[in-house]
Amino acid sequence: MDSIILTIHSLNRWLIVIVGVLAAGKFLIGWLGNREYQSMDRALMSGYTGLLDLQLLLGIILLITRGVVRYQIEHAITMVIAVVLAHLARLWRDKEDKTKFRNNFIVITVGLILIAVGVLTLPVGWTFSIGG
C-alpha cells in the first residue's frame, strides 16, 4: 500500500510544479499588467495550495508507514514551510488586485524554490521513480 502512496506522491510533485509555474506566470502577468483579479485566479491559487496539502498528507503517511530517516526530516521541514507559504494567500484576499497578484507570485516562486531544494535533499532527487 505504501508503494501506491509513494507513486501518487511522486506523480503529484510534477502536478505541483506544473500548476505552480503556470500560476506564477499568470500572477506575474496580472501584477505587471494591472489586471483584475478574478475567480479563475483565486481557483488557481486554491488548486496549487490543495495540491500541496495533498502532498503533505501523503508525505506524512509515508513517514509513518516507512519510518523516519534524517534526510526525510529535512525534506519534510522544507516542504511544510512551502505549504504554509501557500496558505498565506488567505491573508490578502481583501487587498487590491495588484497586491494579490504580486503576493501570490512571490509566495509561489519562493515555494517552488523551497520545493526544488526539498526534493534535492532526497537520495533520488528529481529522478522519476514509481513505487519502491
Side-chain angles (χ1 to χ4, degrees):
M1 181 64 164
D2 72 332
S3 177
I4 294 169
I5 294 171
L6 181 60
T7 299
I8 296 168
H9 189 70
S10 182
L11 293 171
N12 191 49
R13 70 178 158 172
W14 296 109
L15 285 175
I16 291 168
V17 170
I18 292 166
V19 171
V21 168
L22 291 174
K26 173 112 174 56
F27 294 142
L28 180 62
I29 291 167
W31 172 28
L32 298 178
N34 290 320
R35 304 266 167 91
E36 183 180 330
Y37 197 87
Q38 299 177 351
S39 60
M40 158 81 166
D41 301 311
R42 198 169 24 263
L44 191 55
M45 190 65 193
S46 293
Y48 173 74
T49 304
L51 287 170
L52 282 174
D53 290 344
L54 173 62
Q55 193 74 341
L56 178 63
L57 176 62
L58 295 170
I60 290 169
I61 292 168
L62 288 170
L63 280 175
I64 292 168
T65 59
R66 295 184 138 216
V68 178
V69 181
R70 186 186 67 100
Y71 66 81
Q72 291 170 322
I73 294 299
E74 295 167 356
H75 174 73
I77 290 170
T78 306
M79 297 308 178
V80 166
I81 294 169
V83 172
V84 169
L85 271 175
H87 281 276
L88 289 178
R90 300 280 296 156
L91 295 177
W92 47 78
R93 67 177 179 251
D94 297 328
K95 302 289 184 191
E96 294 178 352
D97 291 347
K98 187 169 185 154
T99 301
K100 287 188 257 191
F101 279 124
R102 181 198 64 206
N103 291 359
N104 286 348
F105 169 74
I106 292 168
V107 161
I108 290 176
T109 302
V110 172
L112 288 173
I113 292 168
L114 285 170
I115 290 165
V117 169
V119 170
L120 289 174
T121 65
L122 299 173
V124 294
W126 280 97
T127 59
F128 185 78
S129 64
I130 302 276

